[in-house]
Amino acid sequence: METFQTSLPPTELNGHSKSARPLPLPPVQQPESILTTWQQYAQQEEDLSLRNLLSTIRRRAWIIAGVGAVVMTFFTVKALQQEKVFRGQFRMLVEPVNASDDLSDLTSILATQNTRRSGLDYATQVQVLRSPELMEPVLEELQQTYPTLSYPTLLRNLQISRPGETKILEVSYLGSDPVQIQVVLDFLAQTYLEYSLKERQTNLRQGINFVESQLPDLQARVDTLQDQLEAFRRQANFITPETQSGSVTQQAGEIASQRMALNQQQREAEQAFSSLQETSGALATLENAPIYQQLLGEMRAIEVRIAEELTRFEPGSLPIRVLEEQRENILPLLNQEAQRVMSAEQAAAINRLEMLAAQNEILEDVEQTGFERLNALPSLIREYTDLQRELEVSTAALTRFRSTQQSLAIEAAQTEIPWQIIEAPTQPKNPISPDLERSLLTGMVISVLLGLGAALLLEKLDNVYHTVDELKAATKLPLLGALPTNQTLKDSRTPGRSGLAKIADRVSRIPQSLPSAFGRQSIGYGYGGNSDSSFLEALRVLYTNIRMLSSDQPIRSILLSSAQPAEGKSTIAANLAQVATAMGQRVLIVDIDLRKPQVHDRLDIPNEVGLSNLITDSLPLKAALQQVNPEGSLFAITAGKIPPDSTKLLSSHKMQQLMATFEKSFDLVIYDSTPITGLADVSLVGQQTDGLVLITRMGVTDRTVLKQTIETLKLSRIPILGVVANGVKATGLSGYRYYAYGYGRDANGHHDEVISFGTPATEHSANGHGANGHGANGNGSVS
């Protein structure tokens, strides 16, 4: 494979990582620092939401104004056309307020037995006062003066209420004629006073007599049930169902616990007995036998002496035979002791099993007795419950009858007192409706709320990003740059100089901008005085942020792509390559969009031989490599002939070899790819680069498609370096602050330092250094 020689030493491909460089871990924070960080984060989230709301209001101002104007006009017209409504009223005292008249002391004494605080049921009384029995005579009198007045109209305009917890009834009447209102109220007041004097006497005395006749029978019934309940408790040794159930349940629980413990002991005894029958269990038992261990120790000592003597004497010599005889004498004793110990242990295990079996039988008898008590408990509880329920019903009835007797006596005493008019009916003078000021205020509030609601609804239905804040919050990716819309780039496809060169020419003619497109006498961030310098500075910030993503090893290759077509990725790739070249880098831009290539149009170079020819025809690299600028620092490989199957070429081994050669030969390789949605081209190439830069266009990129795209990249394990917001308007950057620094000219033509403030195109990068922290000079170094 041919390698394009450069002045830089080649970097070994195996030592060049193909994944995003991990960021350094932050130091361990103290709890106070963590709390402060969390508070700052919460404050930032609150500010972000407020900025998004204000941005939405600015974008939808015409919608808010239109909806507000329509609603406000409706409320104004309605208020002006509404008929005037008057309201008259009078008040009646329906219960006495002093202690000498209404027996209030007696009422307070019986408050615990009588749930009503007053002798009058106000809700029922109001319905009686509105009933046809009282209203029809009033209506007949009124119709002589006002024939058109009907019963439904009278009831609809009549309102009777009780102010708070007072003993007053307030009667009001609504209408358009103040004189008619006063006439109606006068008739109603007279009718209600007559009702209070003539019709309120009821058969309370008959009710009192009935209650007194029932009280002796109820008292006898309660006494009988109490005697039966006491006899049942003595006979069944029964206190309450809860106490009895708790006692039986506790006993059953204790028996169950003892049964579990006994079963556990029995299993352990059986296991111990079984282990004695096995060799391992026998050995474990003999290890705890002192006499056996003593004999075993003597035998081992003799065997040790035999081994020592064998080093000195022959196997059949006298010392050896003496030691062997001693060992033979100890061996029977050792066997006898082992049998004795094992017999004793087995006997002890058998005795323990028999004892546990006897305990188990005793426990079964106790458990059977508990079960019998438990089985009999439901019938006892039911009998007790029946008696208790009958006693409660009889006691409640007795209490209710006594309370009713006292209430009826109090109410009978109070019915002698008539109602009093404490506020006489008067003719109303001022209408209560319409209230123009209140209607206009209400219309203003509702119009603002409906306008905001309509704006927020449209914003919710609008499935694109409008601000950088929205993009950052949705993607959770580092914002590498925010590029403003530039009119000059629309002419970049015409023959001649590239769009960025035209921008540089225009910027060089601005006194407070750069003298050249890529001069080293300018450091800038964000938006400057015009769109050309703003776009140029935004590209420098984007390149600087990409460089500072990794501090351990420089980024040598990046892939530029977007979720959808027409988001400006090819334009950004071409102009980013020129910015990197101006900062002292040898750059290669490769058009891997073999479906709809754009790089040759952006750089104004031919597309006769390109990447597809290098892969399919095995041409040398120089055949497709094109020098873009005269300085020889920017090169490009166009897409070439469009193949029938681009995925086959991009997934080939030849493509991987070419990518490795590119990275060895250039400081930075920029790949311009196809959109990600619906195509596999990015997945085939992305893992061979240092990372992907995702281009999004404000007001164009679909939110759902972008989220799906990010998920696709994560599944493909393609490192995402960050996101670039393209086509950002001046209002799309919300509250980000920035400054721009450069050289201008004074009145004598000399250069002066110029600092301007405004809104930046980006913020801090992922490693804590952002566009506001460092710039890049003309040589590409960070200053």
Side-chain angles (χ1 to χ4, degrees), residues 93-104 122 167 200 413-414 417-420:
L93 179 64
V94 296
E95 289 186 283
V97 295
N98 52 9
S100 60
D101 292 335
D102 69 283
L103 306 177
S104 59
Y122 283 86
K167 299 178 181 181
R200 291 190 64 221
Q414 292 178 344
I417 304 174
W419 293 354
Q420 300 175 14

Side-chain angles (χ1 to χ4, degrees), residues 424-445:
T426 57
Q427 181 177 337
K429 297 180 180 180
N430 299 320
I432 62 173
S433 176
D435 189 348
L436 185 59
E437 181 178 350
R438 181 178 179 182
S439 299
L440 294 180
L441 181 61
T442 303
M444 183 181 300
V445 174

Side-chain angles (χ1 to χ4, degrees), residues 9 67 70 121 148 160 195 201 226 231 264 307 377 405 446 453 473-474 506 595 618 644 684 687 690 771:
V67 173
V70 172
D121 185 356
T148 59
I160 304 176
Y195 162 77
Q201 294 297 328
Q226 288 179 345
Q264 180 66 24
L377 185 60
Q405 180 188 22
I446 295 179
R506 293 178 60 179
R595 304 173 187 269
S618 299
L684 299 174
Q687 295 183 357
D690 288 336

Side-chain angles (χ1 to χ4, degrees), residues 122-140:
Y122 283 86
T124 304
Q125 187 65 66
V126 169
Q127 297 301 322
V128 171
L129 296 179
R130 292 173 58 90
S131 63
E133 183 179 356
L134 293 179
M135 290 293 103
E136 287 179 356
V138 175
L139 183 61
E140 291 177 359

Side-chain angles (χ1 to χ4, degrees), residues 45 48 52 464-481 562-563 567 692-698 701-714 720-725 736 763:
E45 289 292 326
L48 180 60
N52 289 338
V464 297
Y465 299 102
H466 293 283
T467 65
V468 175
D469 287 334
E470 295 177 359
L471 180 63
K472 287 180 58 182
T475 60
K476 306 298 182 182
L477 295 175
L479 180 64
L480 300 179
S562 59
E567 297 196 39
L692 180 141
V693 177
L694 189 59
I695 308 299
T696 60
R697 179 178 289 276
M698 297 292 97
T701 303
D702 188 273
R703 295 173 183 261
T704 305
V705 175
L706 183 60
K707 290 180 181 178
Q708 294 176 353
T709 299
I710 295 176
E711 293 297 329
T712 301
L713 294 175
K714 291 179 180 179
I720 305 176
L721 300 180
V723 64
V724 175
Y736 294 97
E763 63 173 8

